[in-house]
Amino acid sequence: METTMSVYRGDKNSGRFVDYKVKQFEGMVVLDAIHQIQAEQSTDLACRWNCKAGKCGSCSAEINGKPRLMCMSRMDQYNDGKPIVVRPLRAFPVIRDLVTDVSWNYEINKKIKPFKPKAKEADGTWRMQQYEVDRVQEFRKCIECFLCQNVCHVLRDHDKKNEFGGPRFLVRAASLEMHPLDTEDRIDMIKDSLGSGLCNITKCCTEVCPESIKITDNGIIPLKERIVDAHFDPVVWLWRKITGKPAQPTK
Amino acid sequence: MNSTATQTGLFSTDRRDKWWVGPLASGLGLAAFGAYSTWAAAIGVHYEFGPYLSPFYAPLIKWDAFPFSPAFLILWAPLGFRATCYYYRKAYYRAYFMDPPGCAVGEFRGHGYKGETSFPFIIQNVHRFFMYVAVLFIFMLGYDAVKAFTWDGQFGIGVGTIIMTINVLLLGSYTFGCHSLRHVIGGKTDCFSCTKFGPVKFQAWRGVSFLNSRHQLFAWCSLFSVGFTDFYIRMCSMGIFTDVRLL
Ligand code: SF4
Ligand code: SF4
Ligand code: FES
Ligand code: FES
């Protein structure tokens, strides 16, 4: 079966969609189609990929308007007779064709204070229970595909890249902040540098995450609640004054 | 087709699925509930029948000096609870504020988006205080449901008893799945094995998390059941429905 692919060709200044016909085979994914175009029709078509197994997070694009990994998007789900439209991520500047410049993300990452474990126990080791780390292990499934960053309207539509770190880095901050051995306090950093209050919990990040991380429910909202403890809850504030205890009991 | 890689304008999208069905349905659902509940609360009559009491009027405070319907003395609590609920925030930010209308769907730009960092939405941070009151309300509604099993001092069950019981179960499943409760009850703890009552906290957190993962479902089911319970009791009280006694 022949399928038409409408692929964005261009750079950050200008571009257009070019139609290519590809031969569709059993089990084919969109990344296969892009590779077929590269091999047979347009050797200069730029795309980023690595694993073709949904684990390296390189092949992010927008397919028929939905942010997805090209290697995890079966062609047969789009068999509606219309061309399959493939465009680069919209929230980041296009370098060429399907390749975008995501380096802003790595700058944001530098703002997050690293893991600071508590002192070792008397026998020179650390102990934690599996059930306690399960929560942060969910966040560590992240493959840094940046699909969540791309779909988040705070970055995509409001372009708040100077004020907001985006869901990927709120999840990373959560993975450190909720770690049972960690002692660092990142709450003010999450509120002020990552701008967690700009997230209005509309959950598009969760909808697109290929690792099915419950970014909003398990990462961002629990962080927002911790920020309420530290900044907005007069009862917790009074309790801290009376007992002299920190906002977070286990830190 | 020609286009650049930048998206512009409200509703602009390459999505081909019916992304607008969800926000439209939730917008209409919330508006319908808002209209019915405002009317049912303002009218101030037909909220009791036999041992039944409409949840819009529970707990019933009869205060003669208050010139309006007694529902207004209590409704601020469930209203505030739902209005600041993390799930409903998502629903109405999408449906009414169109911020965003859908995922990867264009919205109004350049209006100085502040999210929940400044007035009015910074007020959402009070959600946990409404949650404390809502938990109390569940016990009061539970008490009303138990009372609905008593007819003139005798044990009895009517269709209304079942409706009131299901309503309180759904409201409980919604309330006990609250994100703020999930935080307060254990979510704020990182190391359960190094705190007092850690295992208990962990189990409580797990229980709330179970309901929390179905929070949207219970938000809608309980919204519907609360409206329907009022409607049923109202219809019985007006003599339009006959409440069938099962026991
Ligand atoms: S839930 Fe928050 S972080 Fe996630 S996409 Fe929506 S606004 Fe962005
Ligand atoms: S959180 Fe999910 S969507 Fe976001 S970068 Fe990680 S894997 Fe991708
Ligand atoms: S190529 Fe690695 S995730 Fe798609
Ligand atoms: S988050 Fe929905 S009730 Fe608290």
Side-chain angles (χ1 to χ4, degrees), chain A residues 221, chain B residues 81-82 84-89 127 131 174-175 177-181 212 215 219:
Chain A
I221 294 175
Chain B
F81 184 51
R82 294 214 182 223
T84 57
C85 161
Y86 285 94
Y87 166 67
Y88 284 111
R89 273 143 77 177
H127 181 59
M131 180 271 290
Y174 167 65
T175 306
C178 169
H179 281 282
S180 293
L181 181 65
N212 180 264
H215 197 50

Side-chain angles (χ1 to χ4, degrees), chain B residues 15-121:
Chain B
R15 281 180 66 167
R16 294 179 187 169
D17 56 334
K18 298 190 170 57
W19 60 266
W20 43 268
V21 171
L24 184 68
S26 46
L28 291 175
L30 290 177
F33 179 81
Y36 177 75
S37 59
T38 309
W39 172 77
I43 196 162
V45 285
H46 294 306
Y47 52 82
E48 282 177 300
F49 177 75
Y52 308 152
L53 171 63
S54 158
F56 288 153
Y57 289 78
L60 186 59
I61 304 173
K62 286 197 167 150
W63 178 23
D64 292 340
F66 189 67
F68 307 105
S69 161
F72 291 135
L73 288 170
I74 55 113
L75 267 188
W76 58 269
L79 184 74
F81 184 51
R82 294 214 182 223
T84 57
C85 161
Y86 285 94
Y87 166 67
Y88 284 111
R89 273 143 77 177
K90 171 202 160 185
Y92 65 73
Y93 287 144
R94 282 200 192 189
Y96 296 145
F97 293 88
M98 297 189 199
D99 208 357
C103 303
V105 176
E107 58 178 82
F108 292 116
R109 292 177 174 195
H111 54 70
Y113 176 80
K114 294 272 192 321
E116 298 187 335
T117 60
S118 70
F119 187 81
F121 297 124

Side-chain angles (χ1 to χ4, degrees), chain A residues 145-212:
Chain A
C145 62
F146 302 133
L147 288 173
C148 57
Q149 303 287 80
N150 171 61
V151 82
C152 176
H153 72 126
V154 183
L155 302 170
R156 184 187 181 94
D157 294 282
H158 301 297
D159 200 20
K160 295 272 176 196
K161 291 204 181 75
N162 293 330
E163 295 149 68
F164 186 56
R168 179 339 178 209
F169 296 103
L170 288 168
V171 153
R172 177 159 143 68
S175 78
L176 296 165
E177 193 60 20
M178 296 178 190
H179 195 289
L181 296 181
D182 178 69
T183 57
E184 186 64 87
D185 182 354
R186 298 176 190 78
I187 290 300
D188 287 353
M189 181 278 296
I190 292 166
K191 175 174 172 282
D192 301 328
S193 307
L194 296 186
S196 58
L198 286 168
C199 161
N200 68 352
I201 52 166
T202 35
K203 287 199 187 177
C204 291
C205 49
T206 307
E207 281 183 26
V208 301
C209 178
E211 286 293 317
S212 305

